[in-house]
Amino acid sequence: MQVHQLAASVGLSLHHDGITGTEKQAVADDYALRLSEGVAAGTARLNDLLRPFSSQPFALCLLTNMSLCNTTDSDPFTFFVYNPLAVAHSYTIELPIIAKNAAVELANGTAVPSVVVPFVPVYSQPIANAAPHQLVVQAHVPPLSWLVYHVTFPKASSSEESTKGWDVVTESIMSAENEFVRVEVNSVTGSLVSLTNKATQTKLNVTSSLLYYQAYGKQGDSCSSGAYLFHPNTSAVHNLPAISGHNCLKTPLLASCVFQFGTWGSLQYKLRAWDHSVVVEWTVRYTGFTVVSF
């Protein structure tokens, strides 16, 4: 019953307005309340199931995107990864930590590929108590199974990798690659330039941008853009301000590049050693427009 409550809460919040944030404030508050109650019930049931494996209660890290998680501050700590698929799958686990070094092992003592990298803030305001580093772990889990991972913080660790920038192709183009994919980005605009499938040597030229529509708004007009109503004042789209800075790093397990668009938002590209595609994440900060599209 506790798990059903969580599943029902998540299912309800997957309404298209719940995902985009275009619902009314009262509805958003109701979503938040239902999700909070569902998470509490699900966490209680999770601890019931995992109690035979640990004397300490388990908690969910719901603010890892802000580099906040109280349970990962302890030394050592343990986390579980469950694979609900009928085939083995590699998951990327990113956990905020304070330490600069970390070692990750399975319960049988097998070392697990991992790397510690600096946390790059994507919000305009500093976040109190945010962990300065992120632990990136490759969790390869058998089908319909779960694995236990133990993390310790030694003074020196195999995860302490030297970082460097992306490879320079031309004055304005940088590249990164793994065994499967090669990606090029424009360091001036933040746009993708090309993606290459290394197995087939297929190269695709790409252009990407963050754009926004100017909202239509008039006092007392029921057609003003707002909750449940997307109404731009024209069909024209506008570019975000020019890039105010970027931070690119590369380690044997992870290549990432973050572009900051002033106080408006950020765009981040990630390519892990086991990825068959490039991960693109964008964060909107400024709320003076109706929608941002990628």
Side-chain angles (χ1 to χ4, degrees), residues 28 47 68 74 156 176 227 241 243 253 263 271:
N47 275 290
L68 294 172
S74 59
I243 290 174
L253 287 184
T263 59
L271 182 64

Short mmCIF file of all heavy atoms in Angstrom, two decimals, residues 28 47 68 74 156 176 227 241 243 253 263 271:
data_model
loop_
_atom_site.label_atom_id
_atom_site.label_comp_id
_atom_site.label_asym_id
_atom_site.label_seq_id
_atom_site.Cartn_x
_atom_site.Cartn_y
_atom_site.Cartn_z
N ALA A 28 0.03 23.23 -8.17
CA ALA A 28 1.44 22.91 -7.91
C ALA A 28 1.65 22.55 -6.44
O ALA A 28 2.38 21.61 -6.11
CB ALA A 28 2.32 24.09 -8.30
N ASN A 47 12.83 1.09 3.74
CA ASN A 47 13.62 0.74 4.92
C ASN A 47 13.19 -0.60 5.50
O ASN A 47 14.02 -1.34 6.04
CB ASN A 47 13.51 1.85 5.97
CG ASN A 47 14.52 2.96 5.74
OD1 ASN A 47 15.71 2.77 5.92
ND2 ASN A 47 14.04 4.11 5.31
N LEU A 68 23.15 18.68 -2.78
CA LEU A 68 22.79 18.56 -1.37
C LEU A 68 22.34 17.14 -1.07
O LEU A 68 21.45 16.61 -1.74
CB LEU A 68 21.65 19.53 -1.01
CG LEU A 68 21.96 21.03 -1.09
CD1 LEU A 68 20.68 21.83 -0.90
CD2 LEU A 68 22.97 21.42 -0.02
N SER A 74 28.65 11.28 5.37
CA SER A 74 29.23 10.34 6.33
C SER A 74 30.32 9.50 5.66
O SER A 74 30.32 9.30 4.44
CB SER A 74 28.15 9.43 6.90
OG SER A 74 27.51 8.71 5.85
N ALA A 156 44.09 9.14 -0.38
CA ALA A 156 44.41 9.05 -1.80
C ALA A 156 43.54 7.97 -2.39
O ALA A 156 43.27 6.96 -1.76
CB ALA A 156 45.88 8.72 -2.01
N ALA A 176 35.22 16.21 -27.51
CA ALA A 176 35.44 15.16 -26.53
C ALA A 176 34.89 13.88 -27.12
O ALA A 176 34.00 13.90 -27.98
CB ALA A 176 34.76 15.48 -25.20
N ALA A 227 -1.10 30.17 -16.54
CA ALA A 227 -1.40 28.77 -16.24
C ALA A 227 -2.40 28.22 -17.26
O ALA A 227 -3.44 28.85 -17.52
CB ALA A 227 -1.96 28.65 -14.83
N PRO A 241 20.83 35.76 -23.95
CA PRO A 241 22.03 36.61 -24.03
C PRO A 241 23.26 35.79 -24.35
O PRO A 241 23.27 34.56 -24.24
CB PRO A 241 22.12 37.21 -22.62
CG PRO A 241 20.74 37.12 -22.07
CD PRO A 241 20.14 35.89 -22.66
N ILE A 243 26.95 34.07 -24.17
CA ILE A 243 27.57 33.27 -23.11
C ILE A 243 28.45 34.16 -22.24
O ILE A 243 29.26 34.95 -22.73
CB ILE A 243 28.40 32.14 -23.72
CG1 ILE A 243 27.48 31.10 -24.35
CG2 ILE A 243 29.29 31.49 -22.68
CD1 ILE A 243 28.22 30.04 -25.10
N LEU A 253 36.84 9.05 -17.20
CA LEU A 253 35.47 8.55 -17.12
C LEU A 253 34.42 9.56 -17.54
O LEU A 253 33.30 9.17 -17.88
CB LEU A 253 35.16 8.09 -15.69
CG LEU A 253 35.79 6.79 -15.21
CD1 LEU A 253 35.29 6.45 -13.82
CD2 LEU A 253 35.49 5.64 -16.17
N THR A 263 22.48 35.54 -16.25
CA THR A 263 21.57 35.12 -15.18
C THR A 263 20.37 34.37 -15.71
O THR A 263 19.46 34.01 -14.97
CB THR A 263 21.07 36.35 -14.39
OG1 THR A 263 20.39 37.23 -15.29
CG2 THR A 263 22.23 37.09 -13.74
N LEU A 271 29.46 13.52 -21.36
CA LEU A 271 29.77 12.29 -22.08
C LEU A 271 30.60 11.41 -21.16
O LEU A 271 31.76 11.71 -20.88
CB LEU A 271 30.53 12.59 -23.38
CG LEU A 271 30.86 11.37 -24.25
CD1 LEU A 271 29.58 10.71 -24.77
CD2 LEU A 271 31.76 11.77 -25.42
#
